[in-house]
């Protein structure tokens, strides 16, 4: 499960710098360096940066929440899954990895 999640994060980390086109805007010429506040403001004004950062954050948050809840469910609710929890978690990660691109295609088709 860790190898699968690591590979998903690796692919996302590679897709971000290779898939995002940078639009060059002229920097303010009166200052040599930007302050931290100005740098953060410029970063968060970039829609692609905010979208990708938010997507990575919420995907990670969702995966952590689901893994924790599935673990608790498998441990305390279903005693028969105690020994094969890693297979249950692997199946869940596999289904989510396959389902996410399919869901994106459906959402693009619907127009959301």
């Amino acid at each position: 499960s860790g190898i699968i999640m690591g590979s998903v994060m690796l692919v996302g980390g590679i897709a971000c710098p290779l898939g995002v086109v940078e639009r060059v805007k002229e920097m303010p010429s009166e200052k040599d360096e930007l302050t931290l506040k100005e740098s953060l403001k410029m970063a968060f004004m970039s829609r692609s940066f905010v979208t990708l950062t938010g997507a990575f954050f919420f995907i990670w948050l969702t995966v952590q929440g689901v893994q924790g809840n599935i673990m608790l469910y498998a441990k305390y609710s279903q005693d028969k899954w105690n020994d094969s929890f890693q297979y249950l978690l692997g199946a869940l990660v596999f289904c989510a990895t396959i389902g996410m691109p399919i869901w994106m295609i459906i959402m693009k088709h619907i127009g959301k």
Side-chain angles (χ1 to χ4, degrees):
S1 175
I3 293 173
I4 294 171
M5 287 308 300
S7 61
V8 168
M9 292 296 184
L10 180 67
V11 168
I14 291 172
C16 182
L18 296 179
V20 175
V21 178
E22 183 177 353
R23 295 187 185 122
V24 179
K25 291 185 180 180
E26 290 191 29
M27 301 292 283
S29 60
E30 64 266 359
K31 293 182 182 178
D32 289 336
E33 293 184 17
L34 293 174
T35 63
L36 177 63
K37 185 177 178 181
E38 291 171 337
S39 298
L40 287 175
K41 184 178 178 182
M42 288 182 70
F44 283 102
M45 286 177 63
S46 170
R47 183 175 180 177
S48 58
F49 172 78
V50 172
T51 302
L52 286 173
T53 304
F56 281 136
F57 174 72
F58 286 115
I59 288 170
W60 173 80
L61 193 64
T62 302
V63 167
Q64 294 302 316
V66 168
Q67 283 180 350
N69 287 336
I70 290 294
M71 182 194 71
L72 290 173
Y73 176 75
K75 186 173 182 181
Y76 295 113
S77 177
Q78 301 294 327
D79 289 332
K80 63 182 176 181
W81 288 345
N82 249 352
D83 298 331
S84 59
F85 170 68
Q86 67 269 15
Y87 300 120
L88 175 68
L89 193 58
L92 177 69
V93 169
F94 177 75
C95 291
T97 305
I98 297 301
M100 207 173 288
I102 294 171
W103 183 250
M104 290 300 294
I105 291 170
I106 292 171
M107 292 305 288
K108 284 183 182 178
H109 181 72
I110 293 174
K112 297 250 176 184

